[in-house]
Amino acid sequence: MESIRRWQFMEVVMQWDGELTASRLCEYFGVSRTTAQKVISDYQIRHPANMADYNSKQKAHAPSNRFEPKYTKGA
């Protein structure tokens, strides 16, 4: 399923970079910003404890301190 592949990517980026932007999803998957936001939103709905609040200054989502990968193996 395409969503799972995107969520795997999100988890890896959050673990390695410490943040995730919609732009990163747009670039990697060639999707629109609207689609990228929906992918992020869907992930947040399924795993609300994994993401901290959106940082409007950095325009990024960060993993929460309770982050536990659901679709990848942790580092």
Side-chain angles (χ1 to χ4, degrees):
M1 180 179 221
E2 188 65 23
S3 293
I4 292 174
R5 213 178 81 162
R6 291 172 181 173
W7 295 336
Q8 288 171 330
F9 175 79
M10 288 172 54
E11 287 184 351
V12 169
V13 170
M14 286 192 291
Q15 288 178 84
W16 283 93
D17 294 347
E19 67 179 22
L20 171 75
T21 63
S23 296
R24 192 82 187 263
L25 285 171
C26 293
E27 290 169 15
Y28 191 82
F29 290 102
V31 297
S32 69
R33 188 169 215 44
T34 303
T35 299
Q37 291 293 0
K38 179 157 179 21
V39 170
I40 292 168
S41 178
D42 288 346
Y43 183 89
Q44 285 177 308
I45 289 167
R46 283 175 172 72
H47 311 291
N50 271 0
M51 295 181 87
D53 291 333
Y54 178 73
N55 183 329
S56 59
K57 225 178 199 182
Q58 293 180 329
K59 297 185 179 179
H61 299 269
S64 74
N65 57 359
R66 299 177 298 173
F67 179 82
E68 288 185 33
K70 305 295 182 189
Y71 305 97
T72 59
K73 292 186 180 189

